[in-house]
Amino acid sequence: MTAALTLVGRSIRLSRRNLDLVIMAVVLPVLMMALFVYVFGGAMRHIESYVDYVVPGILVLCTGYGATSTAMSVADDMKKGVVDRFRSMPISSFAVLTGHVTASVARNAVATSAVVLVALLMGFRPSASPVGWVLAMGLLLLYVLALSWLAAGFGVLARTVESASLLGFFMLFLPYLSSAFVPVETMPAVLRVVSEHQPITPVIETVRALLVSAPVTSGWLALAWSGGLLVVAFGWAAWLFRRISSR
């Protein structure tokens, strides 16, 4: 635990000193929200309040930016020999990845707060109760943990930092094929099938329903996707790290 807390502090300090990570994790989601609300929002006349509709999608999109940063940070440690130095110390290999994942969660917490504050200035008016907010943030936290561990595995697997960022591109692309920005029923038949049967759509729909006090229809599905992904990603990243770092 001491080693894990030390490496968590290291990863957070590295994030704080890296301007690129701050921009990607905090500023970019806010700019994306402004783009969709002010540029594309006028075309969404069939949606009563587009800013209320799009904010949950932007919150989930934040996790993709944070996960990409995690993959790049892990890959950087792997390729610069930092992990080899850690292996010479009496610490658990689990602590190394835990530091990166915790830093990712911290970055996402800051990004989520920034998006919500700016969204309120743009006209976002959630009607969720305190319990609704807790449930929505809890689901986002579960999804962030799952995606961060998956990104950590990608970082271990990647040969270079550049290839780690390329793997993270798929995490950024998938939300665009969900109900994050437009209703699923407006999509062509093929894309509609993809959107309805991927993990991000039920997460977004559940967060959206909780924030606007609407009936939650996909909550258990969102929990199943996020929890299952967390278990698989955690096991895969830990196994892969032990296997590669022991060579």
Side-chain angles (χ1 to χ4, degrees), residues 135-154:
L135 292 176
M137 294 303 106
L139 178 58
L140 281 175
L141 175 61
L142 181 63
Y143 183 73
V144 166
L145 281 172
L147 211 61
S148 297
W149 277 108
L150 184 63
F154 282 149

Side-chain angles (χ1 to χ4, degrees), residues 7 10-11 14 70-100 152 155-158 237-238 240-247:
L7 291 175
R10 168 187 177 266
S11 296
L14 289 175
T70 303
M72 294 171 64
S73 298
V74 173
D76 191 51
D77 277 356
M78 295 290 294
K79 306 315 165 190
K80 286 185 176 179
V82 176
V83 172
D84 292 333
R85 296 182 183 181
F86 288 150
R87 286 173 56 197
S88 66
M89 303 176 184
I91 61 174
S92 169
S93 59
F94 170 78
V96 179
L97 293 184
T98 300
H100 287 288
V156 174
L157 188 65
L240 196 63
F241 184 81
R242 286 195 301 266
R243 182 171 180 269
I244 292 180
S245 61
S246 63
R247 291 177 181 175

Side-chain angles (χ1 to χ4, degrees), residues 4-56:
L5 291 175
T6 300
L7 291 175
V8 165
R10 168 187 177 266
S11 296
I12 292 177
R13 285 192 297 273
L14 289 175
S15 298
R16 194 171 62 241
R17 296 169 184 171
N18 192 327
L19 183 59
D20 292 341
L21 290 182
V22 175
I23 292 175
M24 179 173 288
V26 181
V27 179
L28 196 54
V30 171
L31 293 178
M32 288 291 293
M33 182 174 61
L35 172 67
F36 277 97
V37 171
Y38 293 126
V39 177
F40 302 123
M44 304 295 178
R45 295 186 178 89
H46 59 287
I47 299 178
E48 183 176 353
S49 176
Y50 187 63
V51 65
D52 290 344
Y53 182 89
V54 80
V55 166

